[in-house]
Amino acid sequence: MSTVLEILHIARFGLAGVFLLGGGFFVLAGAIGVLRLPDFYTRLHAAGVTDTMGSTLILLGLMLIAGFTLLSVKLALVGLFLFLTSPTATHAVANAAHKAKLKPLLGTYRQTRKGDNEGGSQ
Amino acid sequence: MNADFITPLDAFTIIDLILMLMLLIVGLAIVRLNDIFAIVMLAGVYSLVSALWFVSLDAVDVAFTEAAVGAGISTVLMLGAMLLSSRTALPAKPVRKWASFFIVLATGAALMYAVTDMPSFGDPLSAPNAYVGLEYLKRSLPDTEIPNVVSSVLASYRGYDTLGETSVILTAGLGVMLILGMGGKINGQLKKKAIDYDNADAQAHHTVLRVVSKMMIPLIVLYGFYVQFHGDFGPGGGFQAGVIIASAVILYALIFGVDAAKAAVPPLVVRIGAALGVLIYGGTGIAGLILGSNYLDYNVLDPHSAPHGQELGIMSIEIGVLITVCSVMLVIFYGFTSRQPDITDKDW
Amino acid sequence: MNGMQFLAGHFNYIVVIILMMTGLYIVISTGNMVKKLTGLGVFQTSVFQLYITMGKVTGGRPPIVAHAPEGAEHAAANGGEHGASTADTAVRMVHDMADVPVNGVIYSNPIPHVLILTGIVVGVATLAVGLALIVRIRETYDSIEEEDVEEAEYKARKAANA
Amino acid sequence: MTMAMALGMIMPILTWAGTHAPPLVVVTPLLAGPIAVFLHKGRLAWAWALAISILTFVFVLLLMPQVIQNGHIAYYMGTWVPPLGIEYRIDSLNLLILLLVSAMGVLSLVFGLPLVENEIEESKRGQFFAAFLLCLAGLLGVTITGDAFNVFVFLEISSIATYVLVSMGAERDRRAYVAAFNYLVMGTIGATFFVIGVGLLYMASGTLNMADIAMHIHGHSDNRVVRAAFAFIVIGLGLKMAMFPLHTWLPSAYARAPSMVGVFLASTATKVAFYAMVRFIFSVFTPGSPFEGAVFDLVLAPMAVAAMIICSVQALYQINIRRLLAYSSIAQLGYMLLGLSMGSIAGVAAGLLHLFNHALMKGALFMGVGKASLRQGVTNVQDLRGLGKTMPLTAASFTVAGLSLIGVPLTAGFVSKYYLVVAALERGWWWAVAALIVSSVLAIFYIGKMLETMYLHEPPKITKSKKTAPQAPAKTSLLALGPLMLMAAANIYFFFDASLPKGLADAAAKALLGGGAS
């Protein structure tokens, strides 16, 4: 019995580690994307990855570590809040850019490089 | 100064170093930039990173407030004020730059001079940490039955400072009222209607925002009350709660228009609230006087148990703080929006 | 204490001082009023960092005391210590490490936190009034640059004299 | 019988009020301020503010016998014993300032009604008086407290209220906004320097109660943290009180503010900051230490002399009367600073006495300008033409205060300058005496310029010109004359009987320099 618990214990922390690392990877990828991608909309896309995948995985990992405690409930609430707000924020920003008549970059990067559009809706 | 103590180099210190590095970069960026919009956003970032650093330095209450006030409300106000002004600052003249540089150098040198006699970072026996602060930690529970020592010091031991602080906020609200007014007039002309609700296009573009904010606003207010009443046990209290609840109304105003927000929370109510909070706070102090003790003495509020009296008093003044802070934040917001054209679809 | 240890113990202060001076530099070097207020914010926030840094205790926790420390009844009986003299409380200085933990746990110092909460609120109050003035200045002069305002005033004076 | 019964009713109340006067002095205007916001009728708000300020003055008077009897009184907020809680501590030094500030609050309110009705929009008057009450509460709070951080909090209440009040002058002069903004930036830098100083003191001592800090840093004046704290507090408060090279914000702020605010600020705000500096330098730090001695001799005294001469010269060149008076104020702050930097009992006492007298004369001068502007829209020296004929009483009061500023015998200004000279000679500072004389001669010129315009020039033809604001009703205009003449009379009275301010200043200086950390 105790060995089963121990295995579960190890598995829990192992899984938490995987989630945290995965979350970290998405955050990093998002950050690189914001810096490297060519135009406003694609950068926004990269930033969205940080918000959704990155934070969700990190929160899941933390919840696994915290176990069945009040802390987990709070983390779940944080997750819920982010789940609702970050796509909305991304939507609002993209909407504003669209309203401001910011054209997305079409075609390949090399073709339109000259007209590189520094992101910014205003 | 305690010469025996040596600050350890551990994981905590490394986080510390990274955050400080970020602060330095953001600070230098603000110096270099001339784009006002970027400067304002970076100022918000600076506050947010500071808040993170405060968490790592165990100052959870301060971090909370800095994030809500410094990174939140301040940035909103800054954006509101710069909305119509030019977006770029004129670069400073070299003479001025050098003059400022030397003033700053002299000031910095005076502080650097003092560094050698400062206590080591983290020293538990340094003068600031081993004296009154420790005394508070030991007395807070028996004296006031409040585990969050920051709350008990803020509201009781140094409660008079907090009365002053609440009055500072009120004064600022009064100042904005006097300088900007709270009416709906811009230069004597009646303001145009905020948002055209019949406009199908506007409706379509705001659907997501409206739905989500409708879900969020009650939760934000609820969270504000949680922060208010949980302030005795965890980080939080009247200031943070006031700012959070005010931010719910501000969010409502941003999405549904300032007029709708003013219909829901009328300016008169807000003005009364601003004054009422300070009066509740000051009145709690007067109650101590009437019950035959000193000003702001909560012990006498409950004749049977002094700690319970403390709890009562602290709850009462925290409610006063909540009302004033929340109201003044809205006074300021209404004041600014009455001077600006409403945020229109074009700005989204 | 050698140089390395000194640096480890005082590195925070040095960085905080540099940050404070960055803020001060922004305030006095620029003529743009919004940027000036931003600098004021950075300056004040950095002063807050100075306070919080000095209140940190290594290995400490946020100052939220979990359980009643021993001797609670004794202290509670004293209540607010009516009538005790200043000197009685003042001389009770802590002298050795054994006194530091409260109920077995080390906490960071709450005083700087309390002071800085006040500081933050005062900061936002000043900011609000400053921004309100900026809005009015912009309405009056159509600019938020000191140079432009001075020039406008100079012209107005010249016109009045002529 | 009824008298005795009434007395029996009143006595306990008086005793109670006497015991709790320390917090009531500050809390009364602080809580009355928010109520004034809702008094929309200008006159009603004014009456309310006046009643409250009189009540505040009464509380200060109740403090007086206790302080004179016991030397000092302490009051613990929330009964928390310091250093745990905040302590109010009143001795002769703050009593002098409290009397001054609360009396000036009453006088400038009585004086200010016609001016406010002339200069402030009807709908804003309630809020205006609310801001005034908060400013008063802040200044009193700074003066009365014995806690270093509490000084900051109340300094900021008064400062923010002051920025707002100054900006209210924009209805008369649009430059008020810029003046208020510059004041705000400089004032906030000053406050932040002060906070750094207090933080450093806390770092060195672990406490915030002034007396307790003094106890802990006593004998540690070689501690670099304490030295830096000293420098930052002096600069921070120096900015707030417009100490010589840090004074740039003051002339514009005073010149553009509404007249009533100018009267009140000129006679109180810088004085309170000066008081705070005296309090920190002498009660918290160790005044006898070589470091402080060096700062006194090498920094403060030269600054004081520079202010006395340079700003007097600047005053000579001013066209705007209020700016002229403001520059003269900075020069006069130099006199006070000179007394302080002597570091002797006689010097500090003379400086404090001059502080009191300067408030009387500057208050009267600003009142005179305000009163004159009711009638002929006075802003520049030129506009004073013929005031001796058109408004003889105002002109006479103005003259008395002006003579007092120069330091002519038979006026209060002479007394404090005399003591300053005596104190300077005691220390052998001949150059300081020379500077005093030079500065006084310069004062003769700039005051003389105004008096000459007043008496020797014909009144302008268009006295009741259209360009000025509508005239205030004669009744309220008479109301303004009362405080003005009272102030002028005080300038003469305190020449013949300076026992009250002199006694308090002497006692204060003795307590500051004799008692050490007490």
Side-chain angles (χ1 to χ4, degrees):
Chain A
M1 191 62 190
S2 68
T3 46
V4 175
L5 274 179
E6 219 160 85
I7 289 168
L8 271 177
H9 186 76
I10 292 168
R12 197 179 79 177
F13 280 91
L15 200 60
V18 171
F19 278 156
L20 285 178
L21 279 176
F25 168 77
F26 280 109
V27 171
L28 192 66
I32 293 173
V34 169
L35 288 174
R36 296 285 298 159
L37 288 172
D39 86 323
F40 175 77
Y41 293 98
T42 44
R43 284 178 194 172
L44 194 62
H45 171 73
V49 169
T50 315
D51 274 355
T52 46
M53 266 324 260
S55 57
T56 312
L57 281 178
I58 288 174
L59 282 172
L60 276 174
L62 290 175
M63 278 163 75
L64 276 174
I65 292 173
F68 287 103
T69 57
L70 189 63
L71 198 61
S72 284
V73 179
K74 288 182 183 171
L75 285 168
L77 285 174
V78 171
L80 185 71
F81 190 78
L82 279 178
F83 179 75
L84 286 172
T85 51
S86 51
T88 315
T90 315
H91 163 82
V93 174
N95 196 11
H98 176 69
K99 278 261 168 189
K101 311 245 170 20
L102 187 70
K103 291 274 182 295
L105 194 65
L106 299 173
T108 62
Y109 178 49
R110 270 169 212 288
Q111 277 170 355
T112 41
R113 193 173 187 175
K114 256 195 272 174
D116 188 354
N117 219 333
E118 281 301 335
S121 58
Q122 314 278 337
Chain B
M1 190 167 156
N2 173 28
D4 301 334
F5 180 80
I6 292 162
T7 310
L9 280 164
D10 50 11
F12 163 78
T13 319
I14 293 168
I15 295 178
D16 206 40
L17 286 178
I18 293 171
L19 288 172
M20 283 193 283
L21 192 68
M22 286 167 78
L23 286 173
L24 277 175
I25 293 170
V26 175
L28 287 178
I30 298 177
V31 173
R32 302 283 303 167
L33 283 171
N34 284 322
D35 180 357
I36 300 285
F37 186 73
I39 288 172
V40 169
M41 293 321 283
L42 281 181
V45 170
Y46 189 88
S47 282
L48 204 61
V49 177
S50 298
L52 281 178
W53 195 25
F54 291 154
V55 174
S56 93
L57 293 174
D58 298 337
V60 281
D61 276 277
V62 178
F64 199 164
T65 316
E66 179 69 34
V69 174
I73 292 284
S74 296
T75 312
V76 169
L77 291 182
M78 285 270 197
L79 288 175
M82 59 155 280
L83 208 60
L84 278 184
S85 59
S86 67
R87 280 290 162 77
T88 47
L90 293 179
K93 291 198 175 111
V95 184
R96 187 170 185 168
K97 271 189 184 172
W98 282 107
S100 322
F101 183 72
F102 283 115
I103 293 173
V104 165
L105 207 63
T107 319
L111 283 166
M112 288 294 182
Y113 166 83
V115 165
T116 46
D117 276 351
M118 288 182 182
S120 288
F121 174 63
D123 182 354
L125 290 184
S126 67
N129 293 341
Y131 185 28
V132 185
L134 199 58
E135 187 70 19
Y136 284 141
L137 285 166
K138 290 182 174 162
R139 301 180 58 133
S140 175
L141 265 187
D143 278 354
T144 65
E145 292 180 351
I146 286 180
N148 185 354
V149 185
V150 175
S151 283
S152 65
V153 176
L154 187 84
S156 183
Y157 297 102
R158 296 190 66 84
Y160 193 69
D161 257 358
T162 312
L163 173 62
E165 184 185 350
T166 318
S167 309
V168 169
I169 278 285
L170 172 75
T171 314
L174 190 64
V176 173
M177 262 192 254
L178 268 170
I179 297 172
L180 296 179
M182 279 186 64
K185 290 180 182 175
I186 301 177
N187 299 332
Q189 287 178 332
L190 268 179
K191 194 177 54 166
K192 67 180 165 55
K193 212 68 197 123
I195 282 185
D196 188 359
Y197 291 99
D198 299 329
N199 189 330
D201 186 46
Q203 285 280 22
H205 274 287
H206 290 303
T207 313
V208 175
L209 291 178
R210 282 171 187 231
V211 170
V212 172
S213 59
K214 267 190 181 168
M215 285 159 72
M216 281 297 145
I217 286 165
L219 287 179
I220 294 173
V221 176
L222 193 64
Y223 179 62
F225 282 114
Y226 167 79
V227 169
Q228 167 82 16
F229 294 109
H230 199 257
D232 294 353
F233 311 102
F239 286 102
Q240 296 93 331
V243 172
I244 289 168
I245 293 173
S247 73
V249 180
I250 292 175
L251 176 65
Y252 184 75
L254 288 179
I255 306 286
F256 295 92
V258 177
D259 287 348
K262 278 185 180 168
V265 188
L268 183 66
V269 169
V270 169
R271 264 157 73 172
I272 292 173
L276 187 68
V278 173
L279 291 177
I280 290 177
Y281 201 139
T284 311
I286 301 273
L289 279 186
I290 290 169
L291 292 172
S293 187
N294 278 8
Y295 192 72
L296 282 176
D297 184 3
Y298 313 137
N299 284 327
V300 290
L301 292 182
D302 185 337
H304 306 298
S305 148
H308 188 239
Q310 287 284 339
E311 248 183 320
L312 265 179
I314 290 172
M315 187 145 110
S316 157
I317 65 123
E318 288 272 11
I319 287 174
V321 170
L322 168 87
I323 296 175
T324 290
V325 170
C326 180
S327 309
V328 169
M329 290 301 150
L330 291 176
V331 164
I332 295 171
F333 180 74
Y334 286 163
F336 277 101
T337 47
S338 73
R339 283 281 150 186
Q340 312 282 352
D342 274 302
I343 296 168
T344 56
D345 273 346
K346 239 175 87 184
D347 297 316
W348 279 107
Chain C
M1 204 194 291
N2 64 29
M4 201 55 212
Q5 285 165 351
F6 173 80
L7 195 64
H10 295 79
F11 189 74
N12 277 37
Y13 296 121
I14 295 171
V15 174
V16 165
I17 290 168
I18 295 172
L19 288 171
M20 282 201 271
M21 291 309 114
T22 312
L24 185 61
Y25 178 80
I26 298 170
V27 181
I28 52 185
S29 71
T30 182
N32 183 293
M33 293 174 189
V34 174
K35 192 172 175 184
K36 243 184 188 355
L37 286 187
T38 321
L40 220 45
V42 171
F43 184 32
Q44 286 176 326
T45 312
S46 312
V47 175
F48 304 160
Q49 290 162 359
L50 175 76
Y51 271 75
I52 301 297
T53 293
M54 74 172 111
K56 168 73 185 171
V57 174
T58 299
R61 285 198 197 166
I64 299 170
V65 182
H67 306 285
E70 283 155 49
E73 293 78 19
H74 164 71
N78 278 344
E81 278 196 28
H82 294 258
S85 75
T86 314
D88 284 351
T89 341
V91 290
R92 265 195 273 145
M93 279 282 282
V94 179
H95 286 296
D96 66 281
M97 206 65 188
D99 278 354
V100 170
V102 178
N103 198 29
V105 183
I106 298 174
Y107 296 101
S108 284
N109 185 357
I111 297 185
H113 304 181
V114 174
L115 303 183
I116 291 321
L117 277 176
T118 309
I120 292 173
V121 172
V122 171
V124 77
T126 318
L127 179 78
V129 174
L131 287 173
L133 286 171
I134 288 181
V135 168
R136 280 302 205 154
I137 290 171
R138 198 208 60 222
E139 283 176 4
T140 316
Y141 295 95
D142 203 29
S143 171
I144 52 164
E145 295 282 348
E146 275 178 357
E147 269 179 50
D148 295 347
V149 171
E150 275 162 26
E151 205 183 295
E153 277 307 327
Y154 180 70
K155 275 182 188 159
R157 225 178 314 154
K158 252 187 153 177
N161 289 343
Chain D
M1 272 321 280
T2 45
M3 270 290 281
M5 265 173 69
L7 216 65
M9 297 263 286
I10 290 170
M11 277 319 284
I13 295 179
L14 269 183
T15 326
W16 178 84
T19 334
H20 295 292
L24 288 175
V25 162
V26 179
V27 168
T28 316
L30 194 68
L31 297 185
I35 295 171
V37 177
F38 299 101
L39 304 175
H40 288 296
K41 285 254 164 53
R43 290 263 171 106
L44 192 64
W46 173 79
W48 170 252
L50 183 65
I52 291 297
S53 65
I54 290 172
L55 192 61
T56 309
F57 184 60
V58 168
F59 284 132
V60 175
L61 287 181
L62 284 175
L63 283 173
M64 210 155 90
Q66 304 177 58
V67 172
I68 289 171
Q69 228 169 45
N70 306 332
H72 77 88
I73 43 177
Y75 188 93
Y76 302 155
M77 288 296 164
T79 56
W80 295 116
V81 175
L84 284 180
I86 288 168
E87 180 192 20
Y88 266 12
R89 201 182 172 87
I90 304 112
D91 54 18
S92 342
L93 177 56
N94 21 10
L95 185 66
L96 181 71
I97 312 290
L98 287 173
L99 276 172
L100 181 71
V101 173
S102 54
M104 280 314 297
V106 176
L107 284 178
S108 40
L109 273 171
V110 174
F111 172 78
L113 180 64
L115 290 155
V116 168
E117 293 194 334
N118 213 359
E119 291 169 9
I120 309 286
E121 208 178 292
E122 165 87 49
S123 62
K124 286 186 173 173
R125 282 179 208 154
Q127 295 163 20
F128 176 85
F129 286 118
F132 179 84
L133 283 175
L134 286 169
C135 181
L136 179 68
L139 291 174
L140 292 168
V142 172
T143 312
I144 202 170
T145 190
D147 188 279
F149 199 80
N150 199 240
V151 170
F152 165 69
V153 175
F154 279 84
L155 200 60
E156 283 308 274
I157 296 182
S158 73
S159 296
I160 293 180
T162 309
Y163 310 145
V164 175
L165 289 174
V166 168
S167 78
M168 284 296 96
E171 282 174 34
R172 197 185 63 190
D173 183 346
R174 64 176 188 166
R175 284 170 291 184
Y177 289 132
V178 184
F181 184 79
N182 288 336
Y183 186 11
L184 180 136
V185 171
M186 297 299 269
T188 310
I189 294 177
T192 313
F193 270 57
F194 179 74
V195 172
I196 296 175
V198 171
L200 293 175
L201 273 181
Y202 176 69
M203 198 185 258
S205 66
T207 171
L208 291 160
N209 184 277
M210 289 187 200
D212 204 21
I213 295 175
M215 227 164 77
H216 277 94
I217 64 172
H218 191 73
H220 289 282
S221 59
D222 57 336
N223 185 331
R224 291 176 161 203
V225 176
V226 175
R227 287 183 173 184
F230 182 84
F232 275 89
I233 287 178
V234 166
I235 295 175
L237 292 174
L239 264 164
K240 288 268 182 196
M241 73 176 230
M243 197 167 76
F244 168 59
L246 310 169
H247 66 273
T248 45
W249 56 267
L250 186 133
S252 296
Y254 282 14
R256 317 280 179 240
S259 308
M260 174 193 156
V261 176
V263 170
F264 182 65
L265 290 183
S267 48
T268 55
T270 50
K271 287 5 169 226
V272 167
F274 181 80
Y275 154 77
M277 192 188 266
V278 171
R279 176 60 81 198
F280 269 92
I281 288 181
F282 291 106
S283 294
V284 176
F285 294 101
T286 327
S289 71
F291 175 72
E292 277 203 21
V295 171
F296 282 169
D297 291 350
L298 300 177
V299 183
L300 293 184
M303 293 281 185
V305 169
M308 282 156 60
I309 294 175
I310 297 176
C311 290
S312 296
V313 172
Q314 278 178 302
L316 270 181
Y317 288 101
Q318 298 305 315
I319 300 166
N320 183 313
I321 305 176
R322 289 191 179 86
R323 278 183 83 87
L324 188 159
L325 293 177
Y327 273 109
S328 143
S329 281
I330 302 160
Q332 300 286 320
L333 274 167
Y335 287 58
M336 298 168 214
L337 208 58
L338 183 72
L340 184 157
S341 65
M342 287 174 199
S344 62
I345 294 184
V348 173
L352 291 172
L353 187 63
H354 193 65
L355 180 152
F356 183 82
N357 289 342
H358 179 244
L360 292 182
M361 45 190 146
K362 242 345 122 48
L365 285 171
F366 270 95
M367 278 182 182
V369 180
K371 179 74 175 58
S373 73
L374 267 182
R375 180 132 168 184
Q376 38 192 60
V378 173
T379 45
N380 293 340
V381 177
Q382 279 293 305
D383 303 332
L384 285 175
R385 273 173 301 164
L387 201 74
K389 277 182 194 142
T390 48
M391 302 173 84
L393 284 174
T394 306
S397 309
F398 192 89
T399 312
V400 169
L403 293 178
S404 183
L405 186 73
I406 298 170
V408 175
L410 299 182
T411 57
F414 175 77
V415 181
S416 45
K417 279 196 181 170
Y418 170 75
Y419 283 117
L420 270 173
V421 170
V422 169
L425 289 179
E426 198 179 274
R427 282 216 49 183
W429 285 9
W430 287 98
W431 45 271
V433 178
L436 261 164
I437 293 170
V438 171
S439 174
S440 299
V441 169
L442 289 167
I444 294 178
F445 282 114
Y446 61 70
I447 294 290
K449 184 170 78 169
M450 289 193 285
L451 295 186
E452 188 221 338
T453 346
M454 231 183 245
Y455 287 108
L456 300 183
H457 287 245
E458 281 305 306
K461 291 280 177 317
I462 39 147
T463 318
K464 291 166 188 173
S465 73
K466 280 157 242 158
K467 72 170 183 179
T468 58
Q471 264 199 307
K475 253 189 216 164
T476 50
S477 175
L478 271 180
L479 195 62
L481 197 59
L484 172 61
M485 292 181 64
L486 191 69
M487 294 282 285
N491 270 304
I492 295 174
Y493 175 78
F494 284 112
F495 171 78
F496 291 105
D497 180 19
S499 58
L500 172 73
K502 183 79 174 84
L504 286 175
D506 279 343
K510 276 196 195 101
L512 287 174
L513 286 151
S518 74

